[in-house]
Amino acid sequence: MTTGKKQIHLAAHFPGVNNTTVWADPRSKSQIEFSSFEHLARTAERGLFDFFFLAEGLRLREHKGRVHDLDVVGRPESITLLNALAAVTERLGLAATVNATFNEPYEIARRFASLDHLSGGRAAWNVVTSPDAFTGENFRRGGFLDRADRYTRAAEFVATARELWDSWEPGGASGPAGSFAHHGRHFRVEGKFGVPRSPQGHPVVIQAGDSGEGREFAASAADVIFTRHGTLEAGRAFYADVKGRLAQYGREPDDLKIMPGVTFVLGDTAAEAQEKAAEIRHQQVSPQNAILALEQIWGRDLSGYDPDGPLPEIDPDPDSGLVQGRVKITNAFEIAAKWRALSEAKGLSIRQTVIETTGRQSFIGTPDTVAAELDAFVQGDAADGFILVPHLTPGGLDDFVDQVVPRLQERGAFRTEYTGSTLRSHLGLRTPGVERLTA
């Protein structure tokens, strides 16, 4: 589509752990039955989205030594699930989160190449690293890597996978298997790759993270960066920073798509949308979740505190090990001070403070307003698109596709049909060895 406007890229995230999903809503269904994944994927494809996105959890989170029962208890393996979704979708990209700390390049390269073949060129890999020994206990090597080593291993992991994918020439399925040999710091592998070059050449590589290391890794190795930012100004700053890092790696601005994860709430009027949003946040932050959020910061058992009462006066104990399987809070004292100041200034209870401080960046309003705001972010170089995280499983995307997508199309900012068959074509990314495709 050529309209003179930047085209918005959209993806759908299947809601999982944390308090995004409103479990108490009667419309909230199973988090593990295939029908839930199929519904959301089919809705995303009906809305002409670029891809469907799955997160990953390598170990169930624990709180006070027990599996946290407010999280999802169990989640199917992502690539297995996406192979099944490939059979019930035709154009939608299929993105799996797979860890680069506790996997090996040959196996992951093979599995993504297989998904790319089975889906006709729609596979994507969201590369993440693991930060803790708690997760590592599930794996033979155990332990964990320092932050810098995690990223160097991940970068070498992606580079090695690409060497394997490149070992077959384009159209080389009828020829001999591709030979490879990689001798690096983290991996020493050689042999013949068993899967011919896939329709996209390389599956799309996604990276999630806002840190300096994450930004540099995305600039050097990723096709899409999954991030978050709360305002138009913050989005522009992030966008300019990451895009500005590409040239040193011989890349152009369009070689990396920046897609923050966002939520949305729609209403017939602005007031109705705000009322809905407030009710959703109130449901997401239940009394139990409010205390959990507080304990994650304080590192203490605060079960004796009233969620509708004031914040604790005691200081945090961030090294207590109370919470396992979540990203470690490194600035607990700073966060606690900010929460106390906010609570005192506005007279907020524990639950009210958590609601106000943990809300994700959302687009709230009428379909026309939300479409205009999404368009403004992209035209204003604050994002290339968005990964939508609905608050209901699996029907939370339905209203957006029915009400917002047509308005984006009317604005000339979103496709009215798929013009290609691969995820790279949807995103307007280069296919290795082939000139850039048009989104």
Side-chain angles (χ1 to χ4, degrees):
M1 176 190 298
T2 302
T3 66
K5 295 186 70 172
K6 287 178 62 179
Q7 294 298 289
I8 296 174
H9 295 286
L10 294 176
H13 186 288
F14 189 87
V17 297
N18 299 316
N19 61 345
T20 299
T21 299
V22 176
W23 304 103
D25 193 301
R27 295 170 294 175
S28 183
K29 305 300 182 184
S30 173
Q31 290 274 331
I32 198 167
E33 292 178 6
F34 181 69
S35 59
S36 291
F37 297 95
E38 182 179 11
H39 180 108
L40 189 63
R42 286 185 181 273
T43 302
E45 186 164 74
R46 178 166 61 84
L48 305 175
F49 279 38
D50 293 310
F51 59 90
F52 174 88
F53 182 81
L54 288 174
E56 178 188 63
L58 292 179
R59 181 166 179 175
L60 295 177
R61 295 168 175 175
E62 294 184 10
H63 191 74
K64 302 175 187 174
R66 297 178 297 174
V67 172
H68 175 46
D69 63 3
L70 298 179
D71 263 357
V72 177
V73 181
R75 181 190 291 165
E77 194 277 322
S78 295
I79 298 181
T80 302
L81 179 57
L82 294 181
N83 279 318
L85 288 176
V88 297
T89 56
E90 296 180 355
R91 299 290 188 91
L92 184 69
L94 303 168
T97 301
V98 175
N99 194 286
T101 303
F102 299 116
N103 283 293
E104 297 298 326
Y106 181 89
E107 178 61 16
I108 298 307
R110 183 176 66 146
R111 294 173 69 194
F112 273 107
S114 298
L115 174 60
D116 210 44
H117 276 287
L118 292 173
S119 65
R122 297 186 280 137
W125 171 20
N126 179 40
V127 183
V128 296
T129 62
S130 183
D132 63 314
F134 174 77
T135 300
E137 291 174 358
N138 276 356
F139 296 87
R140 177 176 58 83
R141 285 197 310 276
F144 65 101
L145 297 174
D146 289 336
R147 185 182 189 91
D149 287 338
R150 283 172 22 222
Y151 277 105
T152 59
R153 188 181 199 274
E156 188 177 337
F157 196 119
V158 173
T160 305
R162 285 177 167 150
E163 290 176 32
L164 300 178
W165 294 328
D166 283 338
S167 66
W168 287 73
E169 293 296 328
S174 60
S179 298
F180 64 88
H182 176 92
H183 299 160
R185 174 186 171 190
H186 294 279
F187 306 106
R188 185 179 181 88
V189 294
E190 55 187 72
K192 294 184 183 297
F193 192 52
V195 185
R197 195 173 185 89
S198 65
Q200 293 189 109
H202 297 169
V204 169
V205 171
I206 305 170
Q207 192 271 334
D210 289 344
S211 67
E213 298 99 324
R215 297 182 191 204
E216 202 66 28
F217 179 44
S220 66
D223 300 304
V224 176
I225 183 167
F226 176 30
T227 183
R228 66 174 68 184
H229 40 67
T231 65
L232 185 66
E233 292 73 21
R236 283 174 173 159
F238 181 86
Y239 191 95
D241 177 72
V242 175
K243 296 279 187 174
R245 298 171 186 248
L246 294 170
Q248 64 182 312
Y249 298 104
R251 307 181 69 195
E252 299 177 10
D254 283 342
D255 289 335
L256 176 66
K257 306 301 180 185
I258 297 176
M259 299 180 67
V262 300
T263 61
F264 63 91
V265 180
L266 303 176
D268 291 335
T269 65
E272 180 185 338
Q274 289 293 340
E275 184 177 343
K276 281 185 179 181
E279 178 59 25
I280 289 168
R281 286 298 294 146
H282 194 261
Q283 291 175 312
Q284 288 170 329
V285 184
S286 65
Q288 299 95 325
N289 265 330
I291 295 298
L292 170 70
L294 199 69
E295 289 177 335
Q296 288 172 9
I297 304 300
W298 260 256
R300 297 178 181 274
D301 183 346
L302 302 175
S303 56
Y305 283 76
D306 181 359
D308 295 320
L311 269 66
E313 296 181 358
I314 56 176
D315 288 330
D317 181 12
D319 298 321
S320 66
L322 186 76
V323 179
Q324 298 277 17
R326 295 180 183 269
V327 176
K328 182 178 176 59
I329 302 296
T330 59
N331 56 341
F333 289 94
E334 179 183 343
I335 295 174
K338 289 181 178 179
W339 283 23
R340 284 194 182 111
L342 176 67
S343 175
E344 292 171 2
K346 294 189 175 183
L348 302 179
S349 67
I350 290 172
R351 189 179 184 188
Q352 291 169 330
T353 302
V354 174
I355 287 174
E356 184 151 341
T357 57
T358 64
R360 295 185 178 183
Q361 195 254 304
S362 297
F363 292 91
I364 302 170
T366 65
D368 283 319
T369 299
V370 170
E373 291 179 351
L374 293 171
D375 193 21
F377 261 71
V378 172
Q379 305 310 323
D381 288 340
D384 292 309
F386 307 92
I387 298 177
L388 301 179
V389 187
H391 70 275
L392 286 178
T393 303
L397 197 63
D398 295 14
D399 287 346
F400 186 95
V401 168
D402 292 335
Q403 300 178 39
V404 179
V405 166
R407 287 165 170 82
L408 292 175
Q409 292 168 331
E410 290 170 1
R411 300 175 72 89
F414 190 68
R415 64 172 64 92
T416 55
E417 62 180 355
Y418 287 116
T419 56
S421 59
T422 70
L423 178 53
R424 286 187 175 276
S425 68
H426 302 340
L427 292 168
L429 295 170
R430 299 176 188 271
T431 296
V434 181
E435 291 182 357
R436 184 190 307 279
L437 300 176
T438 302

